Amino acid sequence: MIKQAEQVLERYIRLFNQIESEISSVEDIVSEKVEFLDPFHHTFGIVAYKDMLLKTARALENPRFDVSHTAWDQQLCFIRWDFSAKNRFLGKLQFSGMSELHFDENYKILRHIDHWDSARYFYRRLPVIRWFFS
């Protein structure tokens, strides 16, 4: 189990670092019923998931996830990562986070939940809104 899931994980990380060139392979590594949750998105199903990925890729310049740690427990994997990108409105973005990845019986990603501090790394950078987080 772990070996096959690790191979899917490698492809999944590559997808996030090269969304537009790797999006065609998403059906091979993500379940049709995929659920994705982060501070800005909550999607269900592969169509909504792909749409969210492509919109994110188009809003960011050179998005990069560098994975520093992985921890496995059967069909669950936690990954620790550092993210960097550039946004035309906010400039350089850089922060750390953790993802919780659940695999189905076919070793595809069924659920992806991101954990990171959006108040600290995003909202505080927005005029007016940052006042609420200071």
Side-chain angles (χ1 to χ4, degrees):
M1 156 64 186
I2 293 290
K3 186 68 172 170
Q4 290 171 309
E6 285 176 345
Q7 291 170 347
V8 169
L9 177 62
E10 286 177 28
R11 292 179 67 194
Y12 197 61
I13 293 166
R14 188 169 50 247
L15 167 69
F16 272 82
N17 283 320
Q18 302 168 13
I19 293 172
E20 291 188 328
S21 65
E22 295 290 325
I23 197 72
S24 61
S25 68
V26 75
E27 287 89 357
D28 297 337
I29 56 178
V30 174
S31 168
E32 285 287 324
K33 300 175 185 178
V34 66
E35 176 184 10
F36 179 87
L37 176 64
D38 76 1
F40 301 114
H41 308 94
H42 193 186
T43 66
F44 296 93
I46 200 159
V47 173
Y49 177 76
K50 286 172 67 173
D51 185 51
M52 179 271 308
L53 285 178
L54 288 171
K55 285 180 182 176
T56 300
R58 292 176 184 137
L60 299 173
E61 191 177 311
N62 300 318
R64 180 82 190 151
F65 285 89
D66 291 311
V67 174
S68 58
H69 298 90
T70 59
W72 290 90
D73 182 21
Q74 297 177 33
Q75 291 178 272
L76 173 64
C77 180
F78 295 98
I79 61 172
R80 179 88 171 121
W81 43 260
D82 295 307
F83 173 77
S84 62
K86 187 174 181 184
N87 176 275
R88 65 178 167 246
F89 301 110
L90 299 173
K92 187 175 182 176
L93 302 172
Q94 197 166 8
F95 55 89
S96 298
M98 197 263 321
S99 296
E100 179 181 330
L101 305 174
H102 299 255
F103 290 78
D104 68 12
E105 63 279 353
N106 297 313
Y107 311 109
K108 291 185 175 186
I109 306 289
L110 179 61
R111 197 164 185 225
H112 177 152
I113 303 169
D114 275 351
H115 305 277
W116 58 276
D117 188 349
S118 58
R120 180 176 179 196
Y121 296 113
F122 182 77
Y123 291 118
R124 284 188 177 172
R125 298 182 75 177
L126 299 174
V128 180
I129 294 175
R130 70 174 154 226
W131 178 80
F132 293 103
F133 295 97
S134 297

